[in-house]
Short mmCIF file of all heavy atoms in Angstrom, two decimals:
data_model
loop_
_atom_site.label_atom_id
_atom_site.label_comp_id
_atom_site.label_asym_id
_atom_site.label_seq_id
_atom_site.Cartn_x
_atom_site.Cartn_y
_atom_site.Cartn_z
N PHE A 252 71.57 96.66 79.53
CA PHE A 252 72.33 97.25 78.46
C PHE A 252 71.85 96.77 77.08
O PHE A 252 71.74 97.54 76.11
CB PHE A 252 73.82 96.95 78.65
CG PHE A 252 74.48 97.71 79.74
CD1 PHE A 252 75.66 97.25 80.31
CD2 PHE A 252 74.04 98.94 80.20
CE1 PHE A 252 76.33 97.94 81.30
CE2 PHE A 252 74.66 99.65 81.22
CZ PHE A 252 75.80 99.14 81.79
N LEU A 253 71.70 95.46 76.97
CA LEU A 253 71.31 94.89 75.66
C LEU A 253 69.95 95.37 75.20
O LEU A 253 69.72 95.47 74.01
CB LEU A 253 71.32 93.34 75.77
CG LEU A 253 72.74 92.74 75.93
CD1 LEU A 253 72.63 91.24 76.31
CD2 LEU A 253 73.52 92.88 74.64
N LYS A 254 69.08 95.66 76.13
CA LYS A 254 67.74 96.18 75.76
C LYS A 254 67.81 97.69 75.36
O LYS A 254 67.03 98.11 74.53
CB LYS A 254 66.79 96.04 76.98
CG LYS A 254 66.39 94.58 77.25
CD LYS A 254 65.51 94.53 78.48
CE LYS A 254 65.16 93.05 78.82
NZ LYS A 254 64.36 92.96 80.06
N SER A 255 68.79 98.36 75.89
CA SER A 255 68.90 99.81 75.67
C SER A 255 69.75 100.14 74.47
O SER A 255 69.54 101.24 73.87
CB SER A 255 69.48 100.51 76.93
OG SER A 255 68.70 100.31 78.08
N TYR A 256 70.72 99.32 74.12
CA TYR A 256 71.70 99.64 73.05
C TYR A 256 71.78 98.51 72.10
O TYR A 256 72.04 97.35 72.43
CB TYR A 256 73.07 99.95 73.64
CG TYR A 256 73.02 101.03 74.73
CD1 TYR A 256 73.05 100.60 76.09
CD2 TYR A 256 72.86 102.35 74.45
CE1 TYR A 256 72.96 101.60 77.09
CE2 TYR A 256 72.81 103.32 75.41
CZ TYR A 256 72.85 102.95 76.75
OH TYR A 256 72.75 103.86 77.75
N ASP A 257 71.64 98.84 70.75
CA ASP A 257 71.65 97.83 69.72
C ASP A 257 73.08 97.40 69.32
O ASP A 257 73.27 96.26 68.91
CB ASP A 257 70.93 98.35 68.51
CG ASP A 257 69.44 98.57 68.72
OD1 ASP A 257 68.84 97.83 69.53
OD2 ASP A 257 68.87 99.48 68.14
N ASP A 258 73.99 98.30 69.51
CA ASP A 258 75.37 98.06 68.96
C ASP A 258 76.40 98.21 70.05
O ASP A 258 76.93 99.33 70.26
CB ASP A 258 75.66 99.03 67.76
CG ASP A 258 76.99 98.70 67.12
OD1 ASP A 258 77.52 97.58 67.36
OD2 ASP A 258 77.48 99.56 66.40
N ILE A 259 76.67 97.17 70.82
CA ILE A 259 77.68 97.17 71.84
C ILE A 259 78.88 96.36 71.35
O ILE A 259 78.73 95.23 71.00
CB ILE A 259 77.16 96.58 73.14
CG1 ILE A 259 76.01 97.42 73.69
CG2 ILE A 259 78.30 96.51 74.19
CD1 ILE A 259 75.33 96.79 74.93
N ASP A 260 80.05 97.00 71.30
CA ASP A 260 81.24 96.32 70.83
C ASP A 260 82.08 95.74 71.95
O ASP A 260 82.71 94.67 71.81
CB ASP A 260 82.12 97.31 70.05
CG ASP A 260 81.45 97.86 68.81
OD1 ASP A 260 81.04 97.05 67.93
OD2 ASP A 260 81.28 99.07 68.72
N VAL A 261 82.13 96.43 73.11
CA VAL A 261 82.99 96.03 74.22
C VAL A 261 82.24 96.16 75.55
O VAL A 261 81.55 97.15 75.78
CB VAL A 261 84.25 96.94 74.29
CG1 VAL A 261 85.12 96.50 75.47
CG2 VAL A 261 85.02 96.86 72.98
N VAL A 262 82.36 95.11 76.39
CA VAL A 262 81.84 95.16 77.76
C VAL A 262 83.03 95.09 78.68
O VAL A 262 83.79 94.12 78.66
CB VAL A 262 80.88 94.01 78.04
CG1 VAL A 262 80.32 94.11 79.45
CG2 VAL A 262 79.75 94.00 77.01
N ILE A 263 83.15 96.07 79.55
CA ILE A 263 84.20 96.15 80.54
C ILE A 263 83.56 95.77 81.88
O ILE A 263 82.69 96.48 82.37
CB ILE A 263 84.86 97.52 80.64
CG1 ILE A 263 85.50 97.87 79.27
CG2 ILE A 263 85.94 97.50 81.75
CD1 ILE A 263 85.84 99.30 79.13
N CYS A 264 83.99 94.67 82.47
CA CYS A 264 83.41 94.19 83.75
C CYS A 264 84.45 94.36 84.83
O CYS A 264 85.58 93.86 84.68
CB CYS A 264 82.98 92.71 83.64
SG CYS A 264 81.86 92.39 82.31
N GLU A 265 84.12 95.07 85.89
CA GLU A 265 85.17 95.42 86.90
C GLU A 265 85.47 94.27 87.87
O GLU A 265 86.24 94.50 88.79
CB GLU A 265 84.78 96.67 87.60
CG GLU A 265 84.87 97.89 86.64
CD GLU A 265 84.71 99.24 87.30
OE1 GLU A 265 84.17 99.33 88.44
OE2 GLU A 265 85.13 100.21 86.70
N ASN A 266 84.93 93.06 87.62
CA ASN A 266 85.50 91.84 88.17
C ASN A 266 85.04 90.67 87.30
O ASN A 266 84.18 90.78 86.48
CB ASN A 266 85.22 91.67 89.64
CG ASN A 266 83.87 91.04 89.97
OD1 ASN A 266 82.95 91.10 89.14
ND2 ASN A 266 83.70 90.49 91.15
N ASP A 267 85.69 89.50 87.56
CA ASP A 267 85.38 88.36 86.76
C ASP A 267 83.95 87.88 86.91
O ASP A 267 83.25 87.43 85.93
CB ASP A 267 86.31 87.15 87.11
CG ASP A 267 87.76 87.45 86.72
OD1 ASP A 267 88.00 88.19 85.69
OD2 ASP A 267 88.65 86.99 87.43
N ASN A 268 83.42 87.85 88.13
CA ASN A 268 82.11 87.35 88.36
C ASN A 268 81.04 88.15 87.59
O ASN A 268 80.08 87.57 87.07
CB ASN A 268 81.78 87.36 89.84
CG ASN A 268 82.55 86.24 90.58
OD1 ASN A 268 83.73 86.35 90.80
ND2 ASN A 268 81.87 85.14 90.90
N GLU A 269 81.20 89.46 87.54
CA GLU A 269 80.32 90.27 86.68
C GLU A 269 80.36 89.86 85.26
O GLU A 269 79.33 89.77 84.55
CB GLU A 269 80.68 91.74 86.86
CG GLU A 269 80.36 92.35 88.18
CD GLU A 269 80.79 93.79 88.27
OE1 GLU A 269 81.68 94.21 87.50
OE2 GLU A 269 80.29 94.51 89.17
N ALA A 270 81.54 89.52 84.78
CA ALA A 270 81.73 89.03 83.38
C ALA A 270 80.99 87.71 83.13
O ALA A 270 80.40 87.56 82.06
CB ALA A 270 83.22 88.84 83.07
N PHE A 271 81.01 86.79 84.11
CA PHE A 271 80.30 85.55 83.91
C PHE A 271 78.80 85.82 83.75
O PHE A 271 78.16 85.21 82.92
CB PHE A 271 80.57 84.64 85.08
CG PHE A 271 82.02 84.35 85.40
CD1 PHE A 271 82.45 84.11 86.75
CD2 PHE A 271 82.96 84.39 84.41
CE1 PHE A 271 83.77 83.87 87.00
CE2 PHE A 271 84.33 84.16 84.67
CZ PHE A 271 84.74 83.92 85.96
N GLY A 272 78.30 86.74 84.54
CA GLY A 272 76.87 87.11 84.44
C GLY A 272 76.58 87.78 83.10
O GLY A 272 75.59 87.55 82.45
N ALA A 273 77.50 88.68 82.68
CA ALA A 273 77.32 89.39 81.42
C ALA A 273 77.29 88.42 80.24
O ALA A 273 76.52 88.53 79.30
CB ALA A 273 78.41 90.44 81.23
N ILE A 274 78.21 87.41 80.30
CA ILE A 274 78.31 86.41 79.25
C ILE A 274 76.96 85.60 79.13
O ILE A 274 76.45 85.35 78.06
CB ILE A 274 79.49 85.47 79.47
CG1 ILE A 274 80.78 86.23 79.17
CG2 ILE A 274 79.39 84.25 78.59
CD1 ILE A 274 82.02 85.55 79.70
N ASP A 275 76.42 85.27 80.30
CA ASP A 275 75.13 84.53 80.32
C ASP A 275 74.04 85.43 79.68
O ASP A 275 73.19 84.85 78.92
CB ASP A 275 74.75 84.21 81.76
CG ASP A 275 75.57 83.10 82.39
OD1 ASP A 275 76.21 82.37 81.60
OD2 ASP A 275 75.59 83.00 83.61
N ALA A 276 74.03 86.70 79.93
CA ALA A 276 73.03 87.59 79.39
C ALA A 276 73.19 87.72 77.89
O ALA A 276 72.23 87.76 77.12
CB ALA A 276 73.12 88.96 80.09
N ILE A 277 74.45 87.84 77.44
CA ILE A 277 74.72 87.97 76.00
C ILE A 277 74.23 86.73 75.25
O ILE A 277 73.57 86.82 74.18
CB ILE A 277 76.25 88.18 75.79
CG1 ILE A 277 76.67 89.59 76.28
CG2 ILE A 277 76.60 88.07 74.30
CD1 ILE A 277 78.13 89.81 76.37
N LYS A 278 74.55 85.56 75.78
CA LYS A 278 74.13 84.33 75.13
C LYS A 278 72.56 84.21 75.11
O LYS A 278 72.00 83.74 74.16
CB LYS A 278 74.75 83.13 75.81
CG LYS A 278 76.24 83.04 75.59
CD LYS A 278 76.82 81.79 76.25
CE LYS A 278 78.31 81.63 75.97
NZ LYS A 278 78.89 80.41 76.62
N ALA A 279 71.99 84.55 76.26
CA ALA A 279 70.51 84.45 76.36
C ALA A 279 69.80 85.38 75.33
O ALA A 279 68.68 85.15 74.89
CB ALA A 279 70.11 84.81 77.72
N ALA A 280 70.49 86.47 74.97
CA ALA A 280 69.94 87.43 74.01
C ALA A 280 70.17 87.02 72.55
O ALA A 280 69.83 87.72 71.60
CB ALA A 280 70.54 88.81 74.27
N GLY A 281 70.84 85.87 72.38
CA GLY A 281 71.12 85.37 71.03
C GLY A 281 72.34 85.98 70.38
O GLY A 281 72.53 85.84 69.18
N LYS A 282 73.19 86.60 71.16
CA LYS A 282 74.43 87.18 70.65
C LYS A 282 75.64 86.35 71.07
O LYS A 282 75.51 85.40 71.90
CB LYS A 282 74.61 88.61 71.16
CG LYS A 282 73.53 89.58 70.67
CD LYS A 282 73.78 90.98 71.16
CE LYS A 282 72.76 91.95 70.64
NZ LYS A 282 72.88 92.16 69.17
N THR A 283 76.78 86.61 70.54
CA THR A 283 77.96 85.87 70.87
C THR A 283 79.05 86.81 71.43
O THR A 283 78.97 88.01 71.19
CB THR A 283 78.53 85.09 69.60
OG1 THR A 283 78.82 86.09 68.62
CG2 THR A 283 77.55 84.07 69.12
N CYS A 284 80.02 86.24 72.07
CA CYS A 284 81.07 87.03 72.65
C CYS A 284 82.37 86.30 72.64
O CYS A 284 82.41 85.11 72.25
CB CYS A 284 80.75 87.47 74.11
SG CYS A 284 80.36 86.07 75.18
N GLY A 285 83.51 86.95 73.03
CA GLY A 285 84.79 86.31 72.99
C GLY A 285 85.49 86.61 71.68
O GLY A 285 84.98 87.40 70.83
N PRO A 286 86.68 86.01 71.47
CA PRO A 286 87.48 86.30 70.27
C PRO A 286 86.75 86.05 68.95
O PRO A 286 87.03 86.72 68.00
CB PRO A 286 88.66 85.33 70.45
CG PRO A 286 88.75 85.07 71.91
CD PRO A 286 87.35 85.10 72.42
N GLU A 287 85.82 85.09 68.92
CA GLU A 287 85.10 84.81 67.68
C GLU A 287 83.68 85.31 67.65
O GLU A 287 82.90 85.03 66.80
CB GLU A 287 85.06 83.24 67.51
CG GLU A 287 86.41 82.58 67.48
CD GLU A 287 87.30 83.10 66.33
OE1 GLU A 287 86.74 83.39 65.25
OE2 GLU A 287 88.55 83.16 66.52
N GLY A 288 83.36 86.15 68.69
CA GLY A 288 81.99 86.59 68.86
C GLY A 288 81.71 88.05 68.45
O GLY A 288 82.60 88.74 67.96
N ASP A 289 80.50 88.44 68.73
CA ASP A 289 80.08 89.81 68.35
C ASP A 289 80.62 90.86 69.32
O ASP A 289 80.86 92.01 68.95
CB ASP A 289 78.52 89.89 68.42
CG ASP A 289 77.87 88.88 67.51
OD1 ASP A 289 78.35 88.74 66.39
OD2 ASP A 289 76.86 88.24 67.92
N ILE A 290 80.80 90.44 70.60
CA ILE A 290 81.07 91.42 71.66
C ILE A 290 82.36 91.03 72.37
O ILE A 290 82.53 89.88 72.75
CB ILE A 290 79.92 91.49 72.67
CG1 ILE A 290 78.61 91.97 71.99
CG2 ILE A 290 80.24 92.49 73.81
CD1 ILE A 290 77.39 91.93 72.90
N ILE A 291 83.27 91.98 72.55
CA ILE A 291 84.46 91.78 73.29
C ILE A 291 84.18 91.92 74.78
O ILE A 291 83.54 92.94 75.18
CB ILE A 291 85.57 92.81 72.91
CG1 ILE A 291 85.92 92.64 71.40
CG2 ILE A 291 86.80 92.69 73.77
CD1 ILE A 291 86.78 93.78 70.86
N VAL A 292 84.54 90.96 75.58
CA VAL A 292 84.31 90.99 77.03
C VAL A 292 85.59 90.89 77.73
O VAL A 292 86.38 89.96 77.55
CB VAL A 292 83.40 89.86 77.49
CG1 VAL A 292 83.11 89.98 79.01
CG2 VAL A 292 82.06 89.89 76.72
N VAL A 293 85.92 91.90 78.64
CA VAL A 293 87.09 91.88 79.44
C VAL A 293 86.72 92.06 80.91
O VAL A 293 85.65 92.62 81.20
CB VAL A 293 88.11 92.99 79.02
CG1 VAL A 293 88.56 92.82 77.59
CG2 VAL A 293 87.49 94.34 79.19
N SER A 294 87.58 91.64 81.82
CA SER A 294 87.25 91.63 83.24
C SER A 294 88.52 91.80 84.06
O SER A 294 89.64 91.81 83.53
CB SER A 294 86.52 90.41 83.62
OG SER A 294 87.29 89.22 83.45
N PHE A 295 88.32 91.87 85.36
CA PHE A 295 89.43 92.03 86.30
C PHE A 295 89.37 90.98 87.38
O PHE A 295 88.32 90.50 87.71
CB PHE A 295 89.38 93.44 86.98
CG PHE A 295 89.56 94.56 86.02
CD1 PHE A 295 88.50 95.07 85.28
CD2 PHE A 295 90.82 95.15 85.86
CE1 PHE A 295 88.67 96.16 84.44
CE2 PHE A 295 91.00 96.18 85.00
CZ PHE A 295 89.95 96.69 84.30
N ASP A 296 90.47 90.61 87.93
CA ASP A 296 90.74 89.73 89.06
C ASP A 296 91.59 88.53 88.61
O ASP A 296 92.54 88.13 89.28
CB ASP A 296 89.47 89.20 89.74
CG ASP A 296 88.85 90.25 90.62
OD1 ASP A 296 89.42 91.36 90.77
OD2 ASP A 296 87.71 90.00 91.15
N SER A 297 91.21 87.84 87.52
CA SER A 297 92.00 86.74 87.01
C SER A 297 91.94 85.48 87.89
O SER A 297 92.94 84.82 88.22
CB SER A 297 93.47 87.07 86.77
OG SER A 297 93.54 88.22 85.86
N VAL A 298 90.73 85.13 88.34
CA VAL A 298 90.54 83.89 89.15
C VAL A 298 90.53 82.72 88.12
O VAL A 298 90.44 82.89 86.90
CB VAL A 298 89.23 83.92 89.92
CG1 VAL A 298 89.28 85.04 90.95
CG2 VAL A 298 87.99 84.07 89.00
N LYS A 299 90.58 81.48 88.66
CA LYS A 299 90.68 80.32 87.78
C LYS A 299 89.51 80.22 86.82
O LYS A 299 89.69 79.83 85.66
CB LYS A 299 90.70 79.07 88.66
CG LYS A 299 92.08 78.84 89.36
CD LYS A 299 92.12 77.53 90.12
CE LYS A 299 93.48 77.28 90.68
NZ LYS A 299 93.50 75.99 91.46
N ALA A 300 88.31 80.54 87.28
CA ALA A 300 87.13 80.48 86.45
C ALA A 300 87.23 81.42 85.23
O ALA A 300 86.66 81.13 84.18
CB ALA A 300 85.87 80.79 87.23
#
Side-chain angles (χ1 to χ4, degrees):
F252 285 159
L253 290 168
K254 291 176 182 178
S255 300
Y256 307 102
D257 294 328
D258 186 16
I259 297 174
D260 298 301
V261 179
V262 181
I263 300 163
C264 304
E265 291 189 341
N266 82 339
D267 292 328
N268 287 75
E269 290 176 340
F271 305 150
I274 289 166
D275 288 341
I277 290 168
K278 291 182 176 180
K282 295 181 179 293
T283 59
C284 55
E287 304 298 325
D289 304 317
I290 301 174
I291 298 168
V292 182
V293 298
S294 62
F295 295 84
D296 284 355
S297 303
V298 297
K299 286 184 176 180

